[in-house]
PDB file of all heavy atoms in Angstrom:
ATOM      1  N   ILE A 423      -3.566 -10.574 -15.801  1.00  0.00           N
ATOM      2  CA  ILE A 423      -3.069 -10.356 -17.154  1.00  0.00           C
ATOM      3  C   ILE A 423      -4.182 -10.774 -18.118  1.00  0.00           C
ATOM      4  O   ILE A 423      -4.744 -11.867 -18.001  1.00  0.00           O
ATOM      5  CB  ILE A 423      -1.810 -11.182 -17.440  1.00  0.00           C
ATOM      6  CG1 ILE A 423      -0.694 -10.840 -16.425  1.00  0.00           C
ATOM      7  CG2 ILE A 423      -1.331 -10.953 -18.869  1.00  0.00           C
ATOM      8  CD1 ILE A 423      -0.163  -9.430 -16.557  1.00  0.00           C
ATOM      9  N   LEU A 424      -4.551  -9.872 -19.048  1.00  0.00           N
ATOM     10  CA  LEU A 424      -5.674 -10.118 -19.948  1.00  0.00           C
ATOM     11  C   LEU A 424      -5.230 -10.238 -21.398  1.00  0.00           C
ATOM     12  O   LEU A 424      -4.184  -9.669 -21.779  1.00  0.00           O
ATOM     13  CB  LEU A 424      -6.687  -8.958 -19.821  1.00  0.00           C
ATOM     14  CG  LEU A 424      -7.179  -8.579 -18.428  1.00  0.00           C
ATOM     15  CD1 LEU A 424      -8.056  -7.346 -18.509  1.00  0.00           C
ATOM     16  CD2 LEU A 424      -7.918  -9.747 -17.773  1.00  0.00           C
ATOM     17  N   ASP A 425      -6.016 -10.949 -22.185  1.00  0.00           N
ATOM     18  CA  ASP A 425      -5.829 -10.943 -23.631  1.00  0.00           C
ATOM     19  C   ASP A 425      -6.297  -9.590 -24.157  1.00  0.00           C
ATOM     20  O   ASP A 425      -7.449  -9.210 -23.988  1.00  0.00           O
ATOM     21  CB  ASP A 425      -6.652 -12.082 -24.260  1.00  0.00           C
ATOM     22  CG  ASP A 425      -6.404 -12.209 -25.755  1.00  0.00           C
ATOM     23  OD1 ASP A 425      -6.620 -11.207 -26.461  1.00  0.00           O
ATOM     24  OD2 ASP A 425      -6.027 -13.300 -26.197  1.00  0.00           O
ATOM     25  N   ALA A 426      -5.379  -8.850 -24.763  1.00  0.00           N
ATOM     26  CA  ALA A 426      -5.684  -7.482 -25.189  1.00  0.00           C
ATOM     27  C   ALA A 426      -6.809  -7.413 -26.217  1.00  0.00           C
ATOM     28  O   ALA A 426      -7.502  -6.405 -26.307  1.00  0.00           O
ATOM     29  CB  ALA A 426      -4.425  -6.816 -25.738  1.00  0.00           C
ATOM     30  N   ASP A 427      -7.022  -8.488 -26.985  1.00  0.00           N
ATOM     31  CA  ASP A 427      -8.056  -8.486 -28.020  1.00  0.00           C
ATOM     32  C   ASP A 427      -9.412  -8.902 -27.480  1.00  0.00           C
ATOM     33  O   ASP A 427     -10.430  -8.298 -27.773  1.00  0.00           O
ATOM     34  CB  ASP A 427      -7.629  -9.415 -29.164  1.00  0.00           C
ATOM     35  CG  ASP A 427      -6.383  -8.909 -29.877  1.00  0.00           C
ATOM     36  OD1 ASP A 427      -6.250  -7.684 -29.998  1.00  0.00           O
ATOM     37  OD2 ASP A 427      -5.551  -9.759 -30.270  1.00  0.00           O
ATOM     38  N   THR A 428      -9.408  -9.981 -26.690  1.00  0.00           N
ATOM     39  CA  THR A 428     -10.688 -10.525 -26.212  1.00  0.00           C
ATOM     40  C   THR A 428     -11.060 -10.082 -24.799  1.00  0.00           C
ATOM     41  O   THR A 428     -12.222 -10.186 -24.398  1.00  0.00           O
ATOM     42  CB  THR A 428     -10.639 -12.064 -26.237  1.00  0.00           C
ATOM     43  OG1 THR A 428      -9.658 -12.525 -25.282  1.00  0.00           O
ATOM     44  CG2 THR A 428     -10.257 -12.552 -27.639  1.00  0.00           C
ATOM     45  N   GLY A 429     -10.071  -9.659 -24.022  1.00  0.00           N
ATOM     46  CA  GLY A 429     -10.325  -9.299 -22.633  1.00  0.00           C
ATOM     47  C   GLY A 429     -10.382 -10.492 -21.713  1.00  0.00           C
ATOM     48  O   GLY A 429     -10.666 -10.348 -20.508  1.00  0.00           O
ATOM     49  N   ASP A 430     -10.090 -11.699 -22.245  1.00  0.00           N
ATOM     50  CA  ASP A 430     -10.114 -12.901 -21.432  1.00  0.00           C
ATOM     51  C   ASP A 430      -8.925 -12.914 -20.451  1.00  0.00           C
ATOM     52  O   ASP A 430      -7.832 -12.440 -20.781  1.00  0.00           O
ATOM     53  CB  ASP A 430     -10.075 -14.149 -22.295  1.00  0.00           C
ATOM     54  CG  ASP A 430     -11.334 -14.307 -23.140  1.00  0.00           C
ATOM     55  OD1 ASP A 430     -12.382 -13.740 -22.742  1.00  0.00           O
ATOM     56  OD2 ASP A 430     -11.271 -14.990 -24.193  1.00  0.00           O
ATOM     57  N   GLU A 431      -9.179 -13.475 -19.282  1.00  0.00           N
ATOM     58  CA  GLU A 431      -8.132 -13.570 -18.260  1.00  0.00           C
ATOM     59  C   GLU A 431      -7.124 -14.654 -18.645  1.00  0.00           C
ATOM     60  O   GLU A 431      -7.502 -15.774 -18.949  1.00  0.00           O
ATOM     61  CB  GLU A 431      -8.770 -13.890 -16.911  1.00  0.00           C
ATOM     62  CG  GLU A 431      -7.805 -14.027 -15.768  1.00  0.00           C
ATOM     63  CD  GLU A 431      -8.494 -14.385 -14.470  1.00  0.00           C
ATOM     64  OE1 GLU A 431      -9.663 -13.969 -14.268  1.00  0.00           O
ATOM     65  OE2 GLU A 431      -7.882 -15.123 -13.669  1.00  0.00           O
ATOM     66  N   ILE A 432      -5.844 -14.282 -18.622  1.00  0.00           N
ATOM     67  CA  ILE A 432      -4.777 -15.233 -18.926  1.00  0.00           C
ATOM     68  C   ILE A 432      -4.083 -15.717 -17.659  1.00  0.00           C
ATOM     69  O   ILE A 432      -3.760 -16.896 -17.522  1.00  0.00           O
ATOM     70  CB  ILE A 432      -3.738 -14.582 -19.882  1.00  0.00           C
ATOM     71  CG1 ILE A 432      -4.399 -14.171 -21.185  1.00  0.00           C
ATOM     72  CG2 ILE A 432      -2.567 -15.518 -20.142  1.00  0.00           C
ATOM     73  CD1 ILE A 432      -3.484 -13.386 -22.109  1.00  0.00           C
ATOM     74  N   TYR A 433      -3.852 -14.818 -16.734  1.00  0.00           N
ATOM     75  CA  TYR A 433      -3.032 -15.142 -15.558  1.00  0.00           C
ATOM     76  C   TYR A 433      -3.468 -14.258 -14.406  1.00  0.00           C
ATOM     77  O   TYR A 433      -3.755 -13.070 -14.576  1.00  0.00           O
ATOM     78  CB  TYR A 433      -1.569 -14.907 -15.913  1.00  0.00           C
ATOM     79  CG  TYR A 433      -0.570 -15.394 -14.885  1.00  0.00           C
ATOM     80  CD1 TYR A 433      -0.349 -16.738 -14.680  1.00  0.00           C
ATOM     81  CD2 TYR A 433       0.176 -14.471 -14.130  1.00  0.00           C
ATOM     82  CE1 TYR A 433       0.575 -17.188 -13.745  1.00  0.00           C
ATOM     83  CE2 TYR A 433       1.119 -14.906 -13.199  1.00  0.00           C
ATOM     84  CZ  TYR A 433       1.313 -16.250 -13.009  1.00  0.00           C
ATOM     85  OH  TYR A 433       2.239 -16.689 -12.098  1.00  0.00           O
ATOM     86  N   THR A 434      -3.524 -14.831 -13.191  1.00  0.00           N
ATOM     87  CA  THR A 434      -3.893 -14.083 -11.990  1.00  0.00           C
ATOM     88  C   THR A 434      -2.755 -14.131 -10.975  1.00  0.00           C
ATOM     89  O   THR A 434      -2.170 -15.176 -10.737  1.00  0.00           O
ATOM     90  CB  THR A 434      -5.168 -14.653 -11.340  1.00  0.00           C
ATOM     91  OG1 THR A 434      -6.246 -14.555 -12.282  1.00  0.00           O
ATOM     92  CG2 THR A 434      -5.531 -13.874 -10.089  1.00  0.00           C
TER      93      THR A 434
END
Side-chain angles (χ1 to χ4, degrees):
I423 302 293
L424 307 175
D425 185 303
D427 296 324
T428 66
D430 293 337
E431 180 182 327
I432 299 174
Y433 189 71
T434 299

